[in-house]
Amino acid sequence: MELLAIWLYVVAAMRALSVFMGYFFPQKLCSTVFASAMKYDTSALTGRTFGVWTLVTCTLCILTAQNLDANSPIFLATMLSFVYAFAFFVLEMLVYKTVSTKSIISPGIVSVASMVWMYSVRYH
């Protein structure tokens, strides 16, 4: 389980970078993540909203890494945050067409790997 804690700290650090981008370079974040979106679909507000949402998930990763109790509500909330992130990006790609396959590869790999790992720890 120590490796899972390290992984969650690494994910939190990556998410912290997205938070920084969302608050200080929102247009860059939007043009990178939501490259397929129309100009009127993204704004500085979109970047900041994405940033604060990511800050919450970053906090969940840190709290879970500090106390790896697979039966705790915070562990489940963190695991579900990966499910929600994956669902968000898949819907944006397939339904709303605001993200490209290229732009969801990294978050897709991180979220799926984290979901599977955390699920296996919690339920096995």
Side-chain angles (χ1 to χ4, degrees):
M1 285 237 286
E2 185 176 319
L3 285 176
L4 179 57
I6 293 168
W7 171 255
L8 290 172
Y9 282 126
V10 169
V11 171
M14 291 187 296
R15 287 179 168 183
L17 179 61
S18 291
V19 171
F20 180 80
M21 293 287 292
Y23 273 94
F24 298 105
F25 303 101
Q27 292 302 337
K28 177 67 175 166
L29 177 73
C30 289
S31 67
T32 303
V33 176
F34 302 104
S36 300
M38 300 284 202
K39 293 277 188 221
Y40 59 83
D41 283 340
T42 61
S43 66
L45 176 60
T46 305
R48 291 189 306 273
T49 303
F50 189 83
V52 76
W53 171 58
T54 305
L55 181 60
V56 171
T57 63
C58 177
T59 304
L60 286 171
C61 285
I62 292 169
L63 291 173
T64 302
Q66 289 176 346
N67 181 22
L68 269 179
D69 175 5
N71 295 314
S72 73
I74 200 79
F75 188 97
L76 180 60
T78 304
M79 185 175 70
L80 288 173
S81 77
F82 290 110
V83 173
Y84 302 153
F86 182 73
F88 169 78
F89 282 108
V90 169
L91 283 171
E92 289 298 321
M93 184 179 76
L94 297 177
V95 177
Y96 304 109
K97 307 204 184 314
T98 58
V99 297
S100 66
T101 304
K102 179 182 174 186
S103 65
I104 70 161
I105 289 174
S106 292
I109 290 170
V110 170
S111 62
V112 169
S114 300
M115 284 186 290
V116 169
W117 196 347
M118 292 184 81
Y119 182 88
S120 69
V121 167
R122 184 172 173 93
Y123 296 107
H124 289 99

